[in-house]
Amino acid sequence: MQVTEPQELSDLIDEGLNRIDLPGKPGVLYDPVRYTLGLPGKRVRPLLTLIGCGLSGGKVKEALSAAIAIELLHNFTLLHDDIMDAAGTRRGQPSVFKKWSANTAILSGDAMYAKAFKQLQYYGYNEAYSKEHYALILDIFLDSAQRVCEGQAYDLDFEKREQVSIQEYLQMIDGKTAALISSSLAIGGAVAAAAKPTIDRLRKVGQKTGIAFQIQDDLLDVVADPDKFGKQRGGDIKEGKKTYLSLLALQRCDADQKDRLSEILADQEPSDDDVATVIEWYNELGVIDTTRNVIRQYYEEAMEQIETFDQSCYKNEIITLLNRLISREY
């Protein structure tokens, strides 16, 4: 039976996650995996995989294995990101890096990556999928993994550089964040055996959504309720991260402000007053308002691509999802 209701899509994802084979031993390997998958999350990427399949006229239940593979890949990257960022929290809870150790986080992340490929084997063993069909699904998955790594590498490089352009930053988040969201939709279309132009449209929806999502994260870092967002306000400023807001501010501020802003971002332990000053400049320079407009523009470009698909419950669902993302507070 075809799945048609949004809640059924979420239930299907939960069902798929619960079916993952996670042995009791060794606990040091699988307990952190269970912990990570049990953390509260939006499950945006697996949902998009199912929606991508439905938009392409496929049977969404057939895309479940791909959806779970994408979710495992996403969480694998988060475990490794937390090590690289020395992040103590994830989704408002202690990160695996903090709760266990860096070595445990690396090992458990690798286990999730292996489990992701186990999920994709469904299409290799299923006679309904040709070798070419299976190869396309794998290619989309592997391309997304590679592009996430490339985006993360650019992010690391930016930490050492004094000057980074906004265009370079957009290129970085196109890989680090947007690639996996784009591939989530595309792999759903691939499972449905959609034609290349359809898969390309799905990629475009995901790319625009992913870029908007990351810039929105940058914005929420300074405007969101820390209790809801799960991070301290101005955390990116404290860590000296290159964000859309900081790069735009550096373009707009005067020479004295630019020198001081650069000093604060380079400081290993900026004071709370310094962080408050930067946020005040973001408001005075119109950075907050401009960033909100840019986010909306990217979401609107994603919506324009969605409108090219035939009317269906899946089209309604992705429109609802994007509207929810546009107005998210954390």
Side-chain angles (χ1 to χ4, degrees):
M1 182 179 70
Q2 180 68 302
V3 179
T4 57
E5 296 297 327
Q7 185 56 48
E8 290 179 352
L9 295 178
S10 296
D11 291 344
L12 193 60
I13 292 167
D14 289 341
E15 177 186 321
L17 289 170
N18 290 333
R19 285 207 313 253
I20 299 173
D21 179 25
L22 296 175
K25 296 181 180 180
V28 70
L29 178 64
Y30 293 116
D31 286 349
V33 176
R34 273 185 284 270
Y35 173 79
T36 300
L37 296 178
L39 290 174
K42 303 177 184 70
R43 309 289 189 217
V44 169
R45 291 155 191 83
L47 180 60
L48 288 175
T49 300
L50 300 182
I51 290 173
C53 182
L55 282 172
S56 304
K59 297 178 179 179
V60 295
K61 286 188 177 180
E62 283 296 299
L64 181 58
S65 291
I68 300 306
I70 287 288
E71 181 68 0
L72 286 166
L73 174 61
H74 171 56
N75 281 278
F76 152 74
T77 65
L78 295 183
L79 259 65
H80 286 200
D81 281 356
D82 286 344
I83 298 167
M84 296 169 73
D85 296 339
T89 60
R90 170 62 64 182
R91 296 169 182 163
Q93 299 296 322
S95 63
V96 171
F97 159 75
K98 182 72 172 180
K99 187 176 177 66
W100 279 274
S101 68
N103 287 343
T104 298
I106 291 170
L107 196 60
S108 296
D110 291 347
M112 281 197 279
Y113 193 56
K115 289 291 184 184
F117 279 99
K118 285 280 190 181
Q119 292 291 321
L120 295 178
Q121 281 184 324
Y122 170 80
Y123 306 103
Y125 291 136
N126 193 323
E127 293 181 357
Y129 295 87
S130 66
K131 289 182 179 180
E132 291 76 17
H133 198 170
Y134 178 43
L136 175 60
I137 292 169
L138 278 179
D139 186 61
I140 292 172
F141 181 85
L142 290 169
D143 180 67
S144 68
Q146 177 178 323
R147 291 184 59 215
V148 168
C149 291
E150 290 171 351
Q152 186 68 37
Y154 281 123
D155 198 21
L156 279 176
D157 179 53
F158 291 171
E159 291 179 7
K160 307 169 190 172
R161 290 170 50 185
E162 290 186 9
Q163 294 187 346
V164 175
S165 69
I166 288 181
Q167 191 57 44
E168 287 177 311
Y169 176 76
L170 292 174
Q171 180 186 18
M172 182 271 287
I173 64 174
D174 188 39
K176 183 177 178 180
T177 304
L180 193 49
I181 293 178
S182 177
S183 294
S184 297
L185 282 161
I187 204 169
V191 169
K196 186 178 182 301
T198 298
I199 292 177
D200 287 344
R201 281 187 292 155
L202 290 169
R203 286 186 189 276
K204 187 66 71 175
V205 172
Q207 179 197 34
K208 299 297 184 180
T209 300
I211 291 174
F213 192 89
Q214 182 57 59
I215 297 176
Q216 197 170 17
D217 261 3
D218 293 352
L219 176 64
L220 290 172
D221 179 73
V222 298
V223 302
D225 180 340
D227 291 334
K228 291 182 179 179
F229 195 45
K231 301 177 183 178
Q232 62 177 322
R233 178 169 288 137
D236 289 344
I237 299 169
K238 279 184 173 292
E239 294 173 22
K241 285 187 175 181
K242 307 290 193 304
T243 67
Y244 192 86
L245 287 85
S246 67
L247 295 176
L248 186 59
L250 286 167
Q251 282 188 353
R252 292 184 173 181
C253 60
D254 61 34
D256 289 339
Q257 286 176 318
K258 186 173 183 179
D259 288 343
R260 182 64 186 132
L261 177 54
S262 297
E263 286 178 5
I264 293 172
L265 293 174
D267 193 338
Q268 295 294 318
E269 295 184 8
S271 68
D272 290 341
D273 287 343
D274 286 339
V275 173
T277 296
V278 173
I279 295 175
E280 183 179 342
W281 286 345
Y282 285 170
N283 280 291
E284 291 176 356
L285 295 167
V287 168
I288 301 292
D289 289 339
T290 296
T291 302
R292 283 199 173 102
N293 290 335
V294 168
I295 292 165
R296 183 164 293 278
Q297 177 185 337
Y298 275 106
Y299 275 128
E300 287 176 353
E301 289 175 0
M303 287 287 196
E304 289 173 4
Q305 291 294 321
I306 292 169
E307 287 301 327
T308 66
F309 286 89
D310 293 336
Q311 188 60 43
S312 69
C313 61
Y314 303 106
K315 183 175 179 177
N316 293 338
E317 174 62 6
I318 194 169
I319 289 172
T320 299
L321 175 61
L322 260 65
N323 282 329
R324 191 161 70 240
L325 293 177
I326 289 170
S327 59
R328 72 188 176 104
E329 297 179 354
Y330 57 91

